[in-house]
Amino acid sequence: MVTRFAPSPTGELHLGNARTALFNQLLARRAGGRFLLRIEDTDSERSVDAHTRGLMADLRWLGIEWDAGPDREDGLGPYRQSQRGARYAQELAVLERTGAVYPCFCTALELSLSRRAQLAAGRPPRYAGTCRALTESERAARLAGGVSPTLRFRVPGGERIDFIDMVHGPQSFLSDDIGDFVVRRADGTAAFFFSNAVDDARMGVTLVLRGEDHLANTPRQLLILAALGLPTPAYGHVALLVGADGTPLSKRHGAASVRDYREQGYLPEAIANHLFRLGHSSAPHGLLTREEMAHAFDPAHLGRSPARFDEQQLKVWQKDAVHRLPAAAAREWLAPVLPAGLDEQSAAAFTAALLPNLLLPGDASPWVEIVFGAPPALEPEAAELVRAAGPGYFSAAAAAAARAGGDLPAIAGAVRAATGRKGADLYMPLRVALTGRAHGPELAPLLKAMPPGKARERLARFA
RNA sequence: GCUCCCUUCGUCUAGAGGCCUAGGACAUAGCCCUCUCAAGGCUGUAACACGGGUUCGAAUCCCGUAGGGAGCGCCA
């Protein structure tokens, strides 16, 4: 099995595209096949090289690696469409020779006028066929006039085009519903329907799993492939991803690209796991590794209805992924909010203490201040607890801290001996005196992360 | 406008005529555990868009309605 992901570098990696990339890679990996990355940059106006690099970086960050692509060429490339012009010219020449395509001299203005007129008349806005039956001399005359034509595919009349969609089942379209479409632009570059279909065939792609927006266009590609005598891949069209409000996912929803979430501190494993179950179901629950995903991915369980990219659900995965972060990776993830120049050991202790309570790195910022900064002011609730505990409580605590440093059991033990308190009565005053807050991470590891002497100093304030 | 696709708990989904008094996960509520939070354990609330058929029997098949989406580009 050979699958592919074929983005056009006109922006950042969209979550919906990231999902189709993930599905395709999983499909190939599970079957022991190959996964290709092809950059569809035939539109030089909108294609930006920086986006190609960004796309590849985001894909790799997400853990999606390709077997062949622009930076990993094999004999079937190049994997940038902008470099495949000569190949397209060859195929196009075949189509011209067989009369499957014809030059069209209509201007953009004529075409849009025609479209508008048809729409107004309650008809589908299809190409009217103006240039379809031009004679050789008429063509020569227009050519002489200096107009460079596009090439249109001559869609045969009265045919039925059938194919089986892997997710939607049997599909049937009428060729009479399809207007003649452009396969080569006036500037000589190949158009999407053509280059996309031809490349899939030439690169040996056997399964095209893509967004549902391509479903109704598939017959056009089948027509091209048939005219060229090229093999057709199997097709599958997954429903689009929508936002929490059910409308197509876009910037309006705050974030729609992988980059957006990456910059907020979301982990690739969290995003991949969320995407994995959107429009797809698999038996195992819980956070899956890449291997587990490849094993559990089931194309028979691809959904036909649009799935919502739900941030609340993403956060559940994120929490899980954060909790499972190995110590070194956790420190790196938290590095942006850690104080500059913090020693390795303190950073490790702080990270270990905070990790169970974090969703995003920014959540740790207040605690950086509490642990490493000046003694925190007490919240009203906290002040009340301190007052109720009284100076005796804190002189015992401070004395114990002076002896034992950041060892919570030692401090608590000393206070218990001095006051007879236990449970919440014993621990809460310590917590609020040390952190200023009634809520927070587990106290024992937090104390270990505090610079030496800080605990004693803070407890002594109330002695 | 025309063609096509879609519609099960809040969310992701299981479900291919009787196994469905519709299952699971997450979210949510309550309880337990507990120095707080988190984690964990237990219990609960919660859905077949609507209307007609077909059938002994329909979430599952057919028709229609409503709602959502896509395509009809010298964009991909």
Side-chain angles (χ1 to χ4, degrees):
Chain A
M1 168 175 305
V2 180
T3 64
R4 50 71 158 179
F5 176 54
S8 65
T10 55
E12 278 167 5
L13 181 61
H14 185 92
L15 286 165
N17 288 337
R19 183 186 59 161
T20 56
L22 176 68
F23 285 2
N24 276 288
Q25 190 234 18
L26 258 19
L27 231 27
R29 186 190 283 199
R30 146 182 192 282
R34 280 161 51 82
F35 170 64
L36 276 26
L37 174 67
R38 182 177 70 231
I39 301 297
E40 308 229 322
D41 54 354
T42 56
D43 182 357
S44 54
E45 293 269 309
R46 294 182 17 177
S47 296
V48 180
D49 200 47
H51 283 143
T52 299
R53 289 192 300 272
L55 239 29
M56 295 199 288
D58 287 344
L59 245 18
R60 286 202 163 105
W61 175 80
L62 253 188
I64 299 171
E65 187 59 63
W66 43 96
D67 299 300
D71 59 349
R72 237 183 134 167
E73 291 287 350
D74 60 9
L76 296 169
Y79 285 91
R80 274 189 164 88
Q81 288 191 326
S82 56
Q83 295 168 4
R84 295 178 68 82
R87 287 154 213 269
Y88 300 142
Q90 271 179 22
E91 312 277 7
L92 253 7
V94 171
L95 293 180
E96 285 190 274
R97 207 158 42 238
T98 59
V101 295
Y102 60 88
C104 169
F105 299 89
C106 296
T107 66
L109 181 65
E110 288 167 344
L111 291 172
S112 87
L113 246 33
S114 156
R115 252 192 299 278
R116 207 173 312 160
Q118 291 181 77
L119 242 16
R123 299 162 49 86
R126 285 197 286 272
Y127 178 62
T130 319
C131 298
R132 196 174 219 232
L134 255 31
T135 63
E136 272 315 313
S137 60
E138 283 171 320
R139 281 175 190 160
R142 312 225 174 172
L143 241 22
V147 191
S148 55
T150 63
L151 226 43
R152 280 187 191 271
F153 190 88
R154 193 187 299 277
V155 175
E159 283 188 14
R160 230 181 63 182
I161 303 147
D162 296 314
F163 66 97
I164 296 183
D165 187 280
M166 210 177 73
V167 350
H168 290 280
Q171 301 292 313
S172 183
F173 291 86
L174 265 17
S175 70
D176 289 337
D177 288 336
I178 304 171
D180 292 348
F181 53 91
V182 171
V183 292
R184 188 181 68 199
R185 305 187 186 101
D187 67 2
T189 58
F192 169 78
F193 292 132
F194 173 82
S195 56
N196 181 267
V198 167
D199 283 346
D200 284 338
R202 290 299 184 197
M203 290 173 176
V205 172
T206 60
L207 172 61
V208 171
L209 186 67
R210 60 197 345 185
E212 205 180 83
D213 46 341
H214 293 296
L215 180 57
N217 286 329
T218 304
R220 289 177 176 74
Q221 301 199 299
L222 256 11
L223 249 20
I224 293 170
L225 261 13
L228 250 16
L230 290 173
T232 59
Y235 289 97
H237 293 90
V238 294
L240 267 18
L241 228 43
V242 296
D245 58 357
T247 64
L249 200 57
S250 75
K251 299 268 185 293
R252 281 189 304 103
H253 294 95
S257 73
V258 169
R259 182 60 59 102
D260 291 336
Y261 285 100
R262 177 181 179 172
E263 283 171 356
Q264 286 178 52
Y266 281 94
L267 262 10
E269 288 313 307
I271 295 177
N273 269 274
H274 192 202
L275 293 176
F276 180 70
R277 348 248 155 167
L278 254 26
H280 171 248
S281 71
S282 72
H285 288 294
L287 199 73
L288 263 36
T289 65
R290 226 39 82 104
E291 304 310 317
E292 290 168 332
M293 276 190 222
H295 188 255
F297 189 78
D298 186 356
H301 279 257
L302 285 170
R304 296 150 303 276
S305 51
R308 293 175 196 235
F309 188 90
D310 181 6
E311 287 221 22
Q312 187 184 37
Q313 188 61 47
L314 174 64
K315 284 176 180 165
V316 173
W317 294 118
Q318 170 74 357
K319 198 196 293 178
D320 214 339
V322 168
H323 290 173
R324 292 198 199 193
L325 225 39
R331 228 170 311 150
E332 196 178 321
W333 178 69
L334 217 46
V337 300
L338 257 24
L342 188 64
D343 66 282
E344 192 79 357
Q345 205 180 342
S346 304
F350 179 80
T351 303
L354 266 296
L355 206 61
N357 284 58
L358 299 179
L359 196 58
L360 295 172
D363 299 338
S365 293
W367 291 94
V368 167
E369 191 51 35
I370 288 169
V371 172
F372 301 108
L378 301 191
E379 290 174 342
E381 181 190 359
E384 182 48 44
L385 280 167
V386 165
R387 200 171 316 122
Y393 175 105
F394 288 104
S395 55
R403 285 194 305 275
D407 184 21
L408 182 67
I411 298 172
V415 175
R416 187 191 297 116
T419 64
R421 287 175 169 240
K422 58 184 183 182
D425 285 343
L426 174 59
Y427 284 93
M428 285 306 284
L430 284 175
R431 168 176 292 282
V432 299
L434 289 165
T435 70
R437 301 180 172 199
H439 302 304
E442 240 187 287
L443 202 48
L446 200 61
L447 248 180
K448 287 216 164 62
M450 255 182 212
K454 265 210 160 144
R456 191 206 57 78
E457 183 188 317
R458 290 185 183 182
L459 293 168
R461 286 190 295 168
F462 307 110

